[in-house]
Amino acid sequence: MNEVLLRSLTPSVLGVLVRRGADFAAAEDAVQDALVEAVRVWPDDPPRDAKAWLVTVAWRRFLDATRADSARRRREDRVDEEPAPGPASATDDTLQLYFLCAHPSLTPSSAVALTLRAVGGLTTRQIAQAYLVPEATMAQRISRAKRTVSGVRFDQPGDVATVLRVLYLVFNEGYSGDVDLAAEAIRLTRQLAAAIDHPEVAGLLALMLLHHARRAARTAPDGSLVPLAEQDRTRWDTSAIAEGVAILQVALARDRLGEFQAQAAIAALHADAPAAEETDWVQIVEWYDELARLTDNPVVRLNRAVAVGEADGPRAGLAALAPLDDSLPRYTAVAAYLHERDGDLNTAARLYAEAALKAPNLAERDHLTRQAARLNSARSR
């Protein structure tokens, strides 16, 4: 069973059902039923046209559910006859679905969560990690969003800011998480940039390109993480860096700074340094100050503490870290790094070990465990 094919077809099949009059929650349920049926049937009887097969089965499941629900009798009178099996349109509905999920009836956070689950293909656990909330809380939020949009006509698509937030989170999960969605997020952001003249759309595209350019150097052959300072910069994609910088410069020239442009400026300064020791940390701190002003995000302040530690010394970094909540993801890892830079190896080793226990994924856990072991070994000599 080709799971990649199923994932790639899901948004377009969902889009067909929504355009034919299905409310989003019922359409999503019907598509999920069709995917389950495909997993069961396709290995022994693969269809000639995978998308047409999924559309047909999903539409049947939607009609069955509609007829079984007395509260939806009036909708049953409006549905078209079941579409005949055959070749389906190759139209890519994914970006349109992102806008439809950002419906005005939903709060921005609920719209983002619903889109990540229904269109982005992320699990509830992955979305909860991105939002820094318990999985049960996120499951309830997604369920409420589905109930809110159930039966709503999708003729009022949401705003660009919500769609950008979704694309950003999809990219982050694809870049550092369990599912490879980074390339898809870049593709959709390119589409959006071509359709909308908006500096933050350009800023997000630049940010994605600059981060994605470093991807090949982020892991060693054995799969272990390679920190930015230790990466082989000859493996960075210079054409992607050049494109990202050019897009960013045009966006910044419009003097309408937003958070994605500020993040892209930080990424550009990292990409511009020929070696880690030549990084312009003073400028990076200044951009983090701008970013903190725009977002007041505690994770931004956490990253700023690292930059301050590089620009002004580890004790200044620890001072910047002190006011922050120590329950923040990666807080302990940052504290460990700054204490190591300050020469306190005992504290650093202990904190690296604690951070490993809190790591969100196996690769990061292994990296932090190795850092703790390295310092413990150095202390025992």
Side-chain angles (χ1 to χ4, degrees):
M1 171 56 56
N2 191 332
E3 294 183 6
V4 175
L5 173 62
L6 286 177
R7 181 182 294 279
S8 68
L9 290 174
T10 297
S12 57
V13 175
L14 187 57
V16 171
L17 268 64
V18 170
R19 289 202 306 274
R20 289 185 178 275
D23 66 77
F24 189 89
E28 186 197 4
D29 290 341
V31 172
Q32 293 301 319
D33 287 345
L35 294 176
V36 171
E37 185 69 5
V39 171
R40 186 182 71 82
V41 171
W42 285 11
D44 297 323
D45 185 19
R48 288 193 297 272
D49 186 330
K51 179 179 175 181
W53 189 98
L54 287 170
V55 168
T56 300
V57 173
W59 187 251
R60 285 173 179 162
R61 295 301 173 91
F62 166 71
L63 290 178
D64 289 343
T66 300
R67 294 187 181 106
D69 187 349
S70 59
R72 298 181 183 178
R73 291 300 181 184
R74 288 187 299 170
R75 177 180 295 280
E76 184 179 25
D77 295 335
R78 296 197 300 268
V79 297
D80 296 330
E81 293 184 359
E82 178 182 325
S89 168
T91 302
D92 182 0
D93 299 297
T94 308
L95 191 57
Q96 179 190 11
L97 286 171
Y98 273 62
F99 273 95
L100 293 178
C101 285
H103 196 272
S105 63
L106 295 174
T107 64
S109 60
S110 294
V112 171
L114 178 62
T115 314
L116 291 173
R117 182 71 186 91
V119 189
L122 274 65
T123 66
T124 303
R125 177 183 61 80
Q126 291 167 329
I127 302 169
Q129 289 176 347
Y131 268 88
L132 314 180
V133 299
E135 184 174 349
T137 301
M138 183 52 63
Q140 292 174 356
R141 184 179 300 177
I142 294 171
S143 295
R144 284 196 301 268
K146 287 182 179 180
R147 288 196 299 270
T148 299
V149 300
S150 181
V152 169
R153 298 296 297 180
F154 284 92
D155 54 0
Q156 293 180 281
D159 64 0
V160 174
T162 301
V163 174
L164 289 179
R165 177 62 51 191
V166 176
L167 289 168
Y168 175 68
L169 290 174
V170 169
F171 176 82
N172 279 347
E173 188 60 43
Y175 188 68
S176 61
D178 302 324
V179 182
D180 187 0
L181 295 170
E184 173 69 357
I186 291 174
R187 183 183 72 84
L188 293 173
T189 307
R190 283 192 188 278
Q191 286 186 10
L192 188 58
I196 300 177
D197 182 18
H198 192 298
E200 273 294 83
V201 176
L204 179 58
L205 179 57
L207 175 63
M208 289 179 174
L209 290 170
L210 288 163
H211 277 308
H212 207 58
R214 303 199 301 258
R215 187 168 191 176
R218 291 184 71 245
T219 55
D222 63 0
S224 60
L225 288 180
V226 180
L228 176 61
E230 299 172 19
Q231 289 176 14
D232 179 359
R233 300 186 178 216
T234 64
R235 300 184 65 199
W236 290 1
D237 184 344
T238 54
S239 62
I241 291 172
E243 182 185 6
V245 169
I247 292 171
L248 175 63
Q249 287 174 337
V250 172
L252 290 175
R254 300 179 64 175
D255 199 23
R256 289 168 54 194
L257 184 65
E259 63 173 298
F260 294 123
Q261 295 170 72
Q263 287 191 59
I266 293 168
L269 286 167
H270 282 298
D272 188 54
E277 56 271 17
E278 298 179 57
T279 303
D280 190 342
W281 287 105
V282 172
Q283 267 205 75
I284 288 176
V285 171
E286 292 173 356
W287 276 112
Y288 270 122
D289 288 340
E290 289 287 346
L291 191 54
R293 180 181 60 80
L294 290 165
T295 67
D296 195 29
N297 186 319
V299 176
V300 169
R301 298 190 181 280
L302 182 69
N303 292 331
R304 179 186 178 276
V306 177
V308 169
E310 300 290 352
D312 301 326
R315 295 199 177 181
L318 288 167
L321 185 66
L324 302 180
D325 186 345
D326 62 7
S327 67
L328 276 172
R330 299 185 174 89
Y331 176 101
T332 309
V334 169
Y337 174 73
L338 291 171
H339 277 291
E340 180 185 357
R341 288 280 317 281
D342 195 38
D344 186 352
L345 302 190
N346 289 338
T347 300
R350 175 178 56 80
L351 290 173
Y352 275 130
E354 289 180 14
L357 297 175
K358 304 174 184 176
N361 56 65
L362 182 60
E364 193 167 330
R365 185 180 310 136
D366 289 346
H367 171 72
L368 292 167
T369 300
R370 284 194 296 271
Q371 295 296 89
R374 173 179 57 82
L375 292 187
N376 285 327
S377 175
R379 289 162 46 213
S380 64
R381 293 195 193 111

